[in-house]
Every structure is written in C-alpha cells, then in structure tokens.
Amino acid sequence: MVRPLGLPFDPIERAARTWEQRFGPAASMRAATSVFRVQQILLARFDEALKPHRLTFARYEVLVLLTFSRTGQLPLKVIGSRLMVHPTSVTNAIERLVGAGYVERRPNPADGRGVLAAITDAGRDVVPLATEALTGQDFGLADVGEGELDTLFDILKKVRLGAGDVADD
C-alpha cells in the first residue's frame, strides 16, 4: 500500500507556487507531477490487490493479454508491443509467471529463435480472481466520479496521441 503522506498541505500545490515565483507558469509541471504521484498510488493499490494471487499489475496485464489472444499464446515481442513495455520487462514478467505456474515458454514454430508465452490452466484460473480484486476497487479510481473517468481518459489520450502511441481517430 502506498504510504499516505498525511501532510496538512498539498506538496504539489506548494511546489507550483514556488515554481511560479522562480520559473513562471506552473500548470504543466503541476499536472505532470500529479500524474506521476497518481501512478505511484495506483500501482501500489493494484499490487496490494494482486499480491494474494502472486501477481503484480505488470504480470496481470500479460495474463489478460494472453487470455485475449485466440490461442492463449503470443510471441514475447508482441506482448511487449501491445503492453508498450521494454523487452526486458516482458522477459522478467514471463520468468515470474513461469515460476508461478501461470505461463509456459514454448518455441515459436514461425520463428526458430523466437519464444511464445502460453497461458496455463492455472493462469486461466487466476485471471478472474485477480480481475475481481481490481474491479472490486474500481481499478484504484473509486475516488473519481463515474462521469469524470471518460474525461480523464480523453485528457490522457491527448498525451498518448502526441507521443505517437496510437493513430488519431
């Protein structure tokens, strides 16, 4: 669980006031710093919910992606691309999932050097339990109103579009 700061003031707002005095407008800095702090909070909430299932959020994402695939298996390169993470992160997640019995590594018949990650029955069994743990806490966003979630997504998508993550609709 993320450690509550318990401060009588918002350190991001205080930093923004100092920023404005020294550097000028602080709206972008304040928003970016808030996004980073919220990421810390969400990851801590996810990992706490998933810990009883021997998962982190990164490993959970791999399992869900494998359940979404037609055959329950994907090349590691595809997993990295779909989850937008570095190949080293994929390798680490797969190794941990193999150790937990949730995934098997298989040779890729289409690529002699490539490796497929294949979800096991144990992996398929844990996905609904882990999903319930996350949805039970509204993916850590219970503090945000239902009507605000789409707005939040749309705002953050603008940053993703600007970075070239996806094509603009």
Side-chain angles (χ1 to χ4, degrees):
M1 176 117 198
V2 72
R3 180 178 58 87
L5 298 178
L7 297 173
F9 62 91
D10 184 338
I12 296 173
E13 288 180 357
R14 183 172 284 180
R17 286 193 299 273
T18 303
W19 184 278
E20 287 174 343
Q21 292 169 357
R22 293 189 183 183
F23 304 116
S28 295
M29 181 281 293
R30 195 174 63 165
T33 305
S34 293
V35 168
F36 277 110
R37 177 62 180 150
V38 169
Q39 180 195 25
Q40 292 171 341
I41 292 167
L42 292 178
L43 284 175
R45 288 175 178 175
F46 295 166
D47 289 345
E48 181 181 355
L50 295 171
K51 189 174 185 175
H53 306 289
R54 298 183 309 164
L55 292 170
T56 61
F57 188 65
R59 292 178 219 151
Y60 169 79
E61 285 185 300
V62 171
L63 288 179
V64 169
L65 182 62
L66 291 173
T67 65
F68 287 172
S69 71
R70 286 189 318 269
T71 62
Q73 59 186 15
L74 289 169
L76 271 56
K77 183 169 38 173
V78 171
I79 293 171
S81 173
R82 300 270 169 80
L83 297 180
M84 298 172 278
V85 297
H86 191 274
T88 304
S89 298
V90 175
T91 300
N92 179 281
I94 297 302
E95 287 174 5
R96 301 292 181 130
L97 289 167
V98 167
Y102 296 151
V103 166
E104 294 175 347
R105 293 171 69 98
R106 296 181 181 160
N108 186 346
D111 174 3
R113 296 177 301 164
V115 175
L116 297 173
I119 193 165
T120 64
D121 289 340
R124 286 189 190 282
D125 291 343
V126 79
V127 168
L129 301 172
T131 299
E132 176 61 32
L134 290 173
T135 58
Q137 59 165 265
D138 292 325
F139 275 86
L141 292 170
D143 301 317
V144 180
E146 184 70 31
E148 297 173 301
L149 292 172
D150 288 335
T151 302
L152 178 60
F153 174 80
D154 291 341
I155 291 168
L156 295 174
K157 186 174 182 182
K158 290 178 184 179
V159 177
R160 294 176 50 233
L161 287 169
D165 267 5
V166 294
D168 198 351
D169 295 340

